[in-house]
Amino acid sequence: MEGPTGVVFPMTGGARSTSALGRAVVADALRAVDPVGARSAEHETNWRHGYLGHFRRLVEAGLLSRDAGVSVARAGLAALHTRMRVLDEGGAEHPLDEVFALDAGQPLDTATVAGVGEPERELALPYRGQRLRGDALHRRLDAWVAAGVIEPSCAEAVRAVIANPDWLDLRDQRVVVLGAGAEMGPLPSVLRWGGEVVAVDLPRPDIWRRLLRTAHRYGGRLHLPIRPGTGDDDQALAAGAGADLLHRLPQVAEWLLGLDGRLVLGNYVYADGATNVRVAMAVDALTRHLRRHRDDVALAFLATPTDVYAVPAEAVAHADRGYAARGLARRSLRVLSGGRLLHRNYPPGADPGVNDSLVPQQGPNYALAKRLQRWRATEARAAGATVSFKVAPPTRTRSVLRNRALAAAYAGAHRFGIEVFEPATSNTLMAALLVHDLRTGGGPVQDHPWRDEAYGAAHGGLWRVPYAPRSALGLAVLLGLGATRG
């Protein structure tokens, strides 16, 4: 599960147990606002399957008040930072919060690559073989809102970017893309618009060759961490670039602290299984360290749509109208299944509603890694930082398509009113929302963390479909398997 060094899970009963960590962190996050829920999490005997209800309870407990929502976030983060550990190269174990006192090793140098393209100053969205701009883009936003694919506030934010093309000029920012090679990250868009991108990803030449090709193509500038003595041609840069967040946190922190200009720290990292929690915690430790040493750090996150969210009353009403209009076949299927399939998304009139789109196939480690990002966004916003936190749509990324059940569910999702996006559409749309947030100080001031999370959400329809997503998941998988075989 783990490498010999770097950020690791704590020892529990002689092993580094991901389930023990998950139970303890959720319990600690709930304890002050929902002590019954905390005890329930602590006593969960089958965390691998039972985590779903506890992660929903984290959201429900936070709805009691703004203070409750912030309390859950702060307690959850504190529980993680208290428990997670770092193993140095000699095998000695340290608390995570002491990692930046360890030897950083050889400092990283910086290489800068300037593209030859002309910076674009008009928002253009790739969509089904076209590049939508102007009136065509406005019509697509209207269609998505009408279908319940995005929240009206998402369309509002994108329209503001369309109306202010000068916002796309991000030369006054240093957009740090952690996980620079990720399909969902903003790197291509920021470079296309002529901006400044600071790229951080693993020292893997194939990643950097691809990023260098992108940098040359567009009009922005790419700043990359390199080993001292690295040559300046593309082959040498690809071989010498990269920074390992999991094992070289002090080295990465020193490099980022030395950069000029306002930093926008964008978190786009992903790894499979338990490693996802480890790298998410490495990024969170880095985030906290940078904010302690610089007062100009803005944060950016992309949230998964397959999580639990509080949603506005108008989303509930949209789903209720669809449920009332469902056809005979779906009514009959619900009856024949004994109510297990296709049950309604929300109780009538819920305000806010609670949308539970957790997918069991993704597992508790994925849920914890994504939840700690939400907690950091809530904590940082409460502390006065500029934060861009946006729910992204379901997207056909490589990591999703590797999971056969998820790939099939995505193939069948349109039968239930859910639109699954292509990566180019998603990453451009989310980059436009990032621009909006950077130019508006994080977007409108809201009275509760759940409203911050709901603003500008592009959930693909999961919040507004008639049926609770998990009650339709099995059918979507079957329909998707049939479609892919056909």
Side-chain angles (χ1 to χ4, degrees), residues 256-334:
L256 290 174
L257 285 170
L259 296 178
D260 294 329
R262 183 199 190 194
L263 294 186
V264 179
L265 192 66
N267 186 346
Y268 307 97
V269 299
Y270 172 79
D272 290 331
T275 306
N276 201 20
V277 178
R278 295 173 59 207
V279 73
M281 278 306 302
V283 170
D284 197 67
L286 176 66
T287 301
R288 196 163 76 163
H289 184 72
L290 291 179
R291 287 177 59 214
R292 285 175 172 172
H293 289 81
R294 295 183 62 148
D295 59 6
D296 63 345
V297 179
L299 304 183
F301 302 89
L302 287 188
T304 177
T306 51
D307 204 338
V308 183
Y309 297 96
V311 306
E314 53 266 34
V316 174
H318 189 129
D320 284 349
R321 289 192 296 272
Y323 191 79
R326 69 200 188 282
L328 178 62
R330 294 191 178 186
R331 292 174 186 265
S332 301
L333 187 58
R334 172 160 169 74

Side-chain angles (χ1 to χ4, degrees), residues 85-227:
R85 294 290 184 265
V86 174
L87 286 180
D88 65 27
E89 293 181 352
E93 184 171 306
H94 309 268
L96 176 60
D97 288 349
E98 295 179 5
V99 65
F100 298 104
L102 302 178
D103 181 15
Q106 188 177 41
L108 293 164
D109 285 344
T110 303
T112 298
V113 176
V116 299
E118 190 68 26
E120 295 185 13
R121 288 292 177 264
E122 182 184 22
L123 180 60
L125 185 72
Y127 187 70
R128 297 182 177 177
Q130 298 180 297
R131 288 185 65 81
L132 305 181
R133 48 171 54 86
D135 290 343
L137 180 49
H138 282 292
R139 288 193 296 272
R140 173 43 45 197
L141 294 171
D142 289 339
W144 277 337
V145 170
V149 171
I150 63 176
E151 290 304 289
S153 56
C154 176
E156 173 188 293
V158 176
R159 292 188 206 280
V161 176
I162 297 171
N164 295 276
D166 57 303
W167 285 4
L168 297 177
D169 184 354
L170 294 176
R171 286 176 295 177
D172 59 326
Q173 317 278 333
R174 297 292 180 271
V175 181
V176 182
V177 183
L178 303 176
E183 289 180 273
M184 290 291 287
L187 181 144
S189 292
V190 177
L191 291 176
R192 183 184 296 115
W193 299 328
E196 305 273 343
V197 172
V198 177
V200 177
D201 213 316
L202 292 168
R204 293 178 181 169
D206 57 321
I207 294 175
W208 294 100
R209 281 193 291 269
R210 177 162 49 87
L211 295 179
L212 288 166
R213 286 195 298 269
T214 301
H216 288 305
R217 177 181 177 186
Y218 296 126
R221 297 203 307 167
L222 181 70
H223 308 277
L224 51 157
I226 57 171
R227 294 192 300 270

Side-chain angles (χ1 to χ4, degrees), residues 406-420:
L406 276 179
Y410 275 22
H414 67 282
R415 304 289 190 93
F416 299 95
I418 296 167
E419 181 168 345
V420 179

